């Protein structure tokens, strides 16, 4: 469309302990009309990475959940028709680099989209603060 029906939502998380240059490492994402949606696997290239994921959906109703040890950030944003999409953001601090492919879940079927990204720690064995 011509941009008159774009209903965006933004998710923001602030973390310290991330490299100031070259922090971004891996990303993946997926979309489907479903009740569950995996982000797509990422494999961080170093230990001690911050992994962030988000889910967006286009119907109101049930809350979301995520598996694989991720922690949801703040309250979920619920969908509001003709205004903005609903969604949630979550994070994981992965001390040992390994493949991760978390699954988001809602109890009602709707259009879901998700992204996942990994970020390197400032120093080896470093830590992150929210």
């Amino acid at each position: 469309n011509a941009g008159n029906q774009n209903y965006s939502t933004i998710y923001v998380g602030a973390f310290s302990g991330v490299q100031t240059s070259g922090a971004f490492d891996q990303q993946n994402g997926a979309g489907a009309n479903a009740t569950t949606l995996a982000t797509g696997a990422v494999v961080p290239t170093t230990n001690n990475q911050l992994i962030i994921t988000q889910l967006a959906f286009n119907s109101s109703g049930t809350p979301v959940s995520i598996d694989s040890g991720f922690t949801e950030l703040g309250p979920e944003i619920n969908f509001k028709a003709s205004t903005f999409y609903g969604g949630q953001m979550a994070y994981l601090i992965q001390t040992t680099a390994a493949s991760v492919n978390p699954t988001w879940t809602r109890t009602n079927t709707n259009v879901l989209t998700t992204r996942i990204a990994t970020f390197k720690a400032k120093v080896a064995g470093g830590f992150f603060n929210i």
Side-chain angles (χ1 to χ4, degrees):
N1 70 40
N4 61 350
Q5 293 180 344
N6 293 319
Y7 309 117
S8 300
T9 298
I10 187 169
Y11 310 93
V12 177
F15 297 85
S16 64
V18 177
Q19 286 184 6
T20 56
S21 177
F24 175 75
D25 188 32
Q26 306 289 314
Q27 72 162 334
N28 208 339
N33 189 23
T35 57
T36 63
L37 184 62
T39 60
V42 290
V43 182
T45 59
T46 61
N47 293 334
N48 301 305
Q49 287 209 14
L50 170 65
I51 304 174
I52 300 281
T53 181
Q54 65 79 27
L55 176 75
F57 47 86
N58 73 342
S59 70
S60 59
T62 62
V64 300
S65 62
I66 188 169
D67 63 10
S68 302
F70 279 76
T71 300
E72 293 180 28
L73 285 174
E76 177 180 318
I77 298 169
N78 205 359
F79 171 79
K80 184 168 181 179
S82 300
T83 306
F84 52 82
Y85 280 86
Q88 179 61 292
M89 184 176 182
Y91 75 96
L92 173 72
I93 298 170
Q94 190 182 62
T95 55
T96 302
S99 179
V100 64
N101 187 12
T103 298
W104 289 96
T105 301
R106 288 192 89 206
T107 56
N108 59 325
T109 300
N110 55 149
V111 175
L112 304 175
T113 60
T114 185
R115 298 298 297 173
I116 189 168
T118 68
F119 300 89
K120 297 174 187 173
K122 193 178 288 186
V123 294
F127 62 93
F128 297 94
N129 290 315
I130 300 173

